[in-house]
Every structure is written in C-alpha cells, then in structure tokens.
Amino acid sequence: FFSAYAPQLLTARAASMIDVDPDPIIEKLLAVRGSRTPKQVDMTELEINSLVFKTREIFMSQSTLIELEAPVKICGDVHGQYTDLLRLFEHGGFPPESNYLFLGDYVDRGRQSLETICL
C-alpha cells in the first residue's frame, strides 16, 4: 500500500534541502482574518511539508523543558477551530508579541484542522 505513495513522500533529508521561507505561508494563513465565514487557505503540499520539517527542526533543537517569559496566555483545546484561533490572537496579540501556551488538542473536530496546526 505505502510503496505506491513512496515516490510522493518528502523525506526529512529532501525537505531540509528545500529552504522555504515560512513568512509568506504565515501571511497566507492570516489573510483570511476578518471574514464572516471560515475560508479555506490554499496551501501546497510543499508548503505544508516545509512547515512540518522546519517545526520539527526547531522542536528537536530545544530542551524538553522550556522556560517561558511572563506574561503567558494559557489556552485550552482548539480542536481545529481556525476562526477561534485567529480571534484569540486578535484579542490577545499575535506571536511573537504575545506568549502563548497551548495545552493540546490542536486538531480533530474542526473543519480547518490543517490551517490550525500550520499556523
């Protein structure tokens, strides 16, 4: 089953060789703010994979115990509710100007789980 998809998979080594700037992707994710109805953000597979591998690289370089600077906004489950996440940032300030600690359940129920985890 997986061998049929193997040529399409982006390996960690291949992804590390692709230097994609995350800022335009973040701008694209934030461009839908203020819309009355949730809008899907069109992202390519390359953009998503580059975010995943860049995030992994950052996480692996950090200690498992991190120190956060006060003040920190502690947030519960987001559940893929992208418009709620955007609203939270609009009221509390966007990172890196504001510090957040998310407790988990980033995705699962919402229609925009992909946008939520990418942002």
Side-chain angles (χ1 to χ4, degrees), residues 69-90:
E69 285 188 36
V72 175
K73 295 164 183 69
I74 300 174
C75 304
D77 303 346
V78 179
H79 292 293
Q81 301 294 329
Y82 189 59
T83 53
D84 291 349
L85 178 63
L86 289 174
R87 198 172 312 123
L88 180 71
F89 287 156
E90 287 170 2

Side-chain angles (χ1 to χ4, degrees), residues 25 29 40-45 47-49 51-52 79-82 85 106-108 110-119:
I25 303 169
L29 287 161
Q40 184 176 2
V41 179
D42 292 324
M43 292 182 290
T44 67
E45 184 177 350
E47 289 173 324
I48 295 167
N49 282 332
L51 285 176
V52 168
H79 292 293
Q81 301 294 329
Y82 189 59
L85 178 63
Y106 310 107
V107 301
D108 63 4
R111 292 179 176 218
Q112 293 183 286
S113 290
L114 186 60
E115 289 91 342
T116 301
I117 199 67
C118 284
L119 186 58

Side-chain angles (χ1 to χ4, degrees), residues 1-118:
F1 172 76
F2 290 109
S3 62
Y5 296 100
Q8 299 172 359
L9 296 177
L10 188 61
T11 65
R13 185 166 186 250
S16 67
M17 295 167 30
I18 302 169
D19 190 19
V20 177
D21 183 12
D23 289 338
I25 303 169
I26 293 170
E27 288 174 19
K28 188 187 295 189
L29 287 161
L30 294 176
V32 298
R33 332 183 247 198
S35 60
R36 291 182 174 257
T37 58
K39 292 189 177 184
Q40 184 176 2
V41 179
D42 292 324
M43 292 182 290
T44 67
E45 184 177 350
L46 178 63
E47 289 173 324
I48 295 167
N49 282 332
S50 66
L51 285 176
V52 168
F53 287 108
K54 184 66 174 173
T55 302
R56 181 184 185 280
E57 182 181 302
I58 292 168
F59 283 161
M60 296 302 285
S61 72
Q62 295 178 342
S63 171
T64 54
L65 178 65
I66 59 172
E67 295 181 28
L68 302 173
E69 285 188 36
V72 175
K73 295 164 183 69
I74 300 174
C75 304
D77 303 346
V78 179
H79 292 293
Q81 301 294 329
Y82 189 59
T83 53
D84 291 349
L85 178 63
L86 289 174
R87 198 172 312 123
L88 180 71
F89 287 156
E90 287 170 2
H91 291 290
F94 283 86
E97 284 78 31
S98 295
N99 293 321
Y100 290 89
L101 173 63
F102 288 91
L103 300 179
D105 282 344
Y106 310 107
V107 301
D108 63 4
R109 297 181 206 155
R111 292 179 176 218
Q112 293 183 286
S113 290
L114 186 60
E115 289 91 342
T116 301
I117 199 67
C118 284

